Amino acid sequence: MRRTGFWTVLAVMSCATTSGADATRSTSGETTTTAAAATRAAVASPATPARVTRVAMFKNGYGFVFRQVDVRGGTTVRVDGAPRAVLGTLWAYPVDGDVSVRGFRAVEGKGTEDRDCAAVPDLLRSSIGKRVRLARMSESGSQSYVGTVERAVGDDLFLLRTESSACANGEGAACAAAAGGADGGLLAFSASQFDSVVFLDTPPEQCTAEVARTQLVIDVGGSGSGTIEYTALEEGLKWVPEYRVERIGDDKVRITLQGALVNDAVDLADADVDLVVGVPHYWMSGTLSPMVIEGALEEVVAGSYGPGGRWSGRESNSNAWASNVMQTQMSMPYESQQAYGGAGEVQADLGGVTAADADELSLYRVEHVTLGKGERALVRVFSVEVPVEDIYKWEIGGTEAEAANVLRQAASGDSSALQRVSSQRVWHHLRLANRSDQPWTTGPAVYFADGNVVAQDRITYTPAGANVDLRLTQATDVLVSWDDVEDRRDRAAREIDDVYWDLILGHGELSVRSHEDEEIQLVVVRRMMGTISEPSDSGTVHTEPGGASTWSPYFTGSTDPYASDYGSSYYDWGTTRVNSPTWVEWKIALGSDQEKKLTYQFRYYTR
């Protein structure tokens, strides 16, 4: 089916190339102009420039581009370059004056471009009408094609009028056949799909050539002058947040957010850029609008060379998977006594950046951005001083028997076991209080103290009024021990589908001793797949709702930003049929050289 579509597209394009400007004969023998010829004649007129006024960049590789064009009612306006729009996102509408959009079409036009001759696609673009040899290695061996570059369809998509079929080793008479050989077919190709491109005719030094270019044709209604805006969701725009956390006192830090802008889509000149905080849902991401004329051919070409091409699939092309770890917003809860939505105790210095809300998304606006296609930039988003608290955290999960097994694995050099053991040590954290009036998005954070780089961690999505913990270093001067004791075992206490489970009842003790120079605030969290009860020292028990087949909300509601890391390591998920996860949290003050023992009861089912 894909191959049939490929040759159908080529046949249509071949016909359009050879006869698109010809006239057709009526039944009376008179010459009439075809609609296609009329369209091509129309687009020969100079294009009206469209200016990019605003871009909304997401963190998943997509962005909305807003363009405006000045028009007059009752005319037809032609604009060079149709956006590479995601299906369903290309819209045009009036924003000023007594005008309207009566029609909105995409047609093929002609234009010239000046490009850097250092790039192979630009050399090919400037070599229309010249002979080249393409060579690549395939499973069946070496293949090459010789022919004349006939058209440039996209940025890296060309049509080659071949002089011979693919031949082995790139040698022989067939590969060097004269122009007008027996084959003479059209090959659609991308330079990146071949190992070498040999220019048999010397390409020009100046890479300026006439190229095929999609034009938008807007039929304008109304009267007088006005402005029409059109917008589209396009791939190739992305922003990456980066934080600097700087200690400026015992109880205060300065947090600075900068955005790394990635622009592979469109030239920006004095445009407004909205940096979007949130998780947008665009179902058709990776699927081009039919208005992108060359899009169908690109999909066919990529598909003909196997999986992994740029347009090989909507889901794999969405950039979402690669961005999940850092770019996806991860929920951070806030203390029950905190007010959601901005305590407003500190006024953020946005440095010319304005914050706004759009439904569930928040926007940071950076004005007057000039950034060419293919360029990168760092822009300052905000700087704010907020309260900070030094805390120490000890996270314990699983059962003592599982922990002993992990220690044995770590002693043997198992890397995953070493990581798990490291995760359950005491860590020094900074608890940052977002007292600004805008949320903090997820991103890497580097911590400076006294002019030195101390650590790097991540700040997870933190609403205004919430707290977030930044993990710094292991607290080697805080010593801990852990002891779980099985008090009773009821054999075959529960039966499910002919599987019998033993009930374990016991008690545990956690011991902590601090050798820090001053009093510390310690947070201790004990987790297990089972039921924890009767904690000492005013510990708070959190019980997960649901049973065996219920997804646990713990991983999006935890006070611990590493909850998902802990979960996979701490919990024996094989017992979820009879156990649900619970956890208990203690918050204590621990003086220098002071020891504290925390106790609790537990019960769980096992086989």
Side-chain angles (χ1 to χ4, degrees):
M1 182 64 70
R2 182 176 293 271
R3 179 172 296 180
T4 301
F6 172 68
W7 291 111
T8 301
V9 171
L10 289 187
V12 171
M13 295 189 70
S14 179
C15 292
T17 302
T18 57
S19 61
D22 293 340
T24 58
R25 296 286 180 178
S26 66
T27 55
S28 61
E30 297 179 353
T31 302
T32 60
T33 303
T34 66
T39 299
R40 289 183 174 83
V43 299
S45 303
T48 300
R51 57 189 180 276
V52 178
T53 60
R54 182 162 62 99
V55 173
M57 290 187 181
F58 300 103
K59 295 190 292 181
N60 63 352
Y62 286 87
F64 266 105
V65 181
F66 296 80
R67 297 172 174 87
Q68 291 185 357
V69 58
D70 296 328
V71 299
R72 291 193 63 85
T75 63
T76 298
V77 176
R78 291 166 296 281
V79 180
D80 271 342
R84 300 186 62 83
V86 169
L87 178 63
T89 66
L90 181 58
W91 292 88
Y93 41 85
V95 293
D96 184 48
D98 183 20
V99 294
S100 63
V101 179
R102 295 192 305 177
F104 194 53
R105 295 172 286 137
V107 300
E108 287 186 296
K110 294 289 184 180
T112 60
E113 290 185 355
D114 295 327
R115 298 205 175 193
D116 186 357
C117 286
V120 173
D122 298 325
L123 288 170
L124 287 167
R125 190 177 299 277
S126 64
S127 299
I128 304 300
K130 297 183 180 294
R131 298 177 67 241
V132 299
R133 175 185 292 129
L134 311 175
R136 62 174 180 168
M137 291 297 299
S138 66
E139 294 181 356
S140 58
S142 176
Q143 292 182 330
S144 67
Y145 298 85
V146 173
T148 301
V149 181
E150 185 158 306
R151 292 181 59 190
V153 182
D155 286 344
D156 187 20
L157 185 64
F158 304 90
L159 296 181
L160 182 75
R161 179 70 65 177
T162 60
E163 300 172 5
S164 63
S165 301
C167 50
N169 302 320
E171 302 292 346
C175 287
D183 196 297
L186 274 178
L187 171 69
F189 72 95
S190 167
S192 61
Q193 294 165 337
F194 286 88
D195 300 324
S196 67
V197 179
V198 179
F199 294 87
L200 302 179
D201 296 330
T202 303
E205 295 181 1
Q206 183 65 33
C207 288
T208 301
E210 184 180 65
V211 296
R213 175 181 290 148
T214 301
Q215 287 189 328
L216 290 179
V217 179
I218 307 174
D219 296 323
V220 185
S223 60
S225 61
T227 302
I228 287 176
E229 182 175 77
Y230 61 97
T231 184
L233 181 67
E234 302 181 44
E235 187 181 17
L237 294 165
K238 182 177 183 178
W239 83 282
V240 180
E242 301 174 352
Y243 290 95
R244 174 188 171 105
V245 180
E246 184 180 8
R247 196 72 177 247
I248 57 176
D250 291 340
D251 58 356
K252 188 176 291 186
V253 295
R254 180 184 296 112
I255 298 178
T256 302
L257 172 64
Q258 69 181 9
L261 307 187
V262 178
N263 178 16
D264 291 322
V266 63
D267 290 331
L268 304 180
D270 198 31
D272 293 338
V273 176
D274 290 331
L275 308 179
V276 183
V277 177
V279 186
H281 174 60
Y282 293 105
W283 181 54
M284 299 306 295
S285 295
T287 300
L288 290 176
S289 166
M291 294 288 280
V292 184
I293 292 178
E294 72 270 20
L297 185 57
E298 285 184 340
E299 288 189 357
V300 172
V301 172
S304 67
Y305 288 98
R310 183 178 182 187
W311 307 104
S312 59
R314 175 164 60 88
E315 293 300 327
S316 61
N317 192 43
S318 67
N319 283 337
W321 181 87
S323 299
N324 276 346
V325 173
M326 181 154 314
Q327 311 309 333
T328 300
Q329 306 304 319
M330 288 175 288
S331 175
M332 276 295 299
Y334 47 92
E335 300 297 325
S336 58
Q337 65 269 24
Q338 292 176 331
Y340 181 89
E345 295 179 10
V346 178
Q347 179 63 40
D349 169 19
L350 294 178
V353 179
T354 58
D357 292 319
D359 293 331
E360 297 299 323
L361 303 177
S362 297
L363 312 175
Y364 297 123
R365 172 161 293 184
V366 185
E367 299 176 339
H368 309 299
V369 175
T370 297
L371 188 66
K373 180 179 178 180
E375 294 181 348
R376 308 293 188 263
L378 289 173
V379 296
R380 182 173 175 272
V381 180
F382 68 71
S383 182
V384 59
E385 295 180 4
V386 299
V388 66
E389 180 185 7
D390 287 273
I391 65 170
Y392 293 78
K393 295 179 72 173
W394 182 25
E395 302 273 348
I396 315 101
T399 65
E400 188 182 22
E402 294 166 354
N405 183 52
V406 170
L407 286 172
R408 286 193 295 270
Q409 295 174 3
S412 67
D414 185 281
S415 58
S416 62
L418 287 168
Q419 176 62 33
R420 181 173 171 184
V421 169
S422 173
S423 298
Q424 300 199 52
R425 299 289 175 84
V426 178
W427 284 79
H428 180 192
H429 291 69
L430 294 183
R431 177 157 288 177
L432 310 175
N434 184 359
R435 296 297 184 264
S436 65
D437 55 2
Q438 70 275 333
W440 299 339
T441 188
T442 301
V446 62
Y447 174 59
F448 286 79
D450 299 325
N452 298 314
V453 179
V454 177
Q456 186 188 48
D457 196 39
R458 64 187 177 193
I459 288 179
T460 55
Y461 178 76
T462 310
N467 292 335
V468 63
D469 292 341
L470 195 69
R471 186 163 65 169
L472 300 183
T473 59
Q474 285 193 30
T476 55
D477 289 336
V478 182
L479 306 180
V480 295
S481 63
W482 165 28
D483 186 29
D484 278 350
V485 178
E486 179 180 324
D487 297 324
R488 195 180 83 197
R489 178 183 293 256
D490 295 342
R491 298 289 185 181
R494 188 168 182 181
E495 182 266 331
I496 301 178
D497 295 336
D498 297 328
V499 176
Y500 290 89
W501 299 81
D502 294 346
L503 175 62
I504 306 296
L505 296 97
H507 68 276
E509 181 180 273
L510 307 175
S511 178
V512 185
R513 177 179 289 276
S514 172
H515 294 282
E516 296 285 342
D517 294 335
E518 55 188 16
E519 182 180 272
I520 65 172
Q521 301 300 314
L522 180 66
V523 176
V524 180
V525 179
R526 170 72 171 99
R527 316 175 194 278
M528 71 180 304
M529 190 63 70
T531 302
I532 300 177
S533 62
E534 302 180 33
S536 67
D537 298 271
S538 303
T540 304
V541 176
H542 303 263
T543 303
E544 297 296 336
S549 60
T550 303
W551 171 79
S552 171
Y554 166 75
F555 298 114
T556 57
S558 172
T559 56
D560 174 19
Y562 294 87
S564 59
D565 300 340
Y566 293 141
S568 60
S569 299
Y570 283 0
Y571 291 153
D572 178 9
W573 293 104
T575 68
T576 55
R577 200 167 188 191
V578 289
N579 298 309
S580 292
T582 62
W583 54 288
V584 60
E585 182 177 41
W586 292 272
K587 298 178 182 179
I588 59 176
L590 197 61
S592 179
D593 203 31
Q594 180 183 357
E595 184 177 13
K596 185 68 176 179
K597 295 184 182 297
L598 306 172
T599 62
Y600 54 91
Q601 303 291 318
F602 64 84
R603 54 181 286 158
Y604 63 90
Y605 289 93
T606 186
R607 287 182 290 183

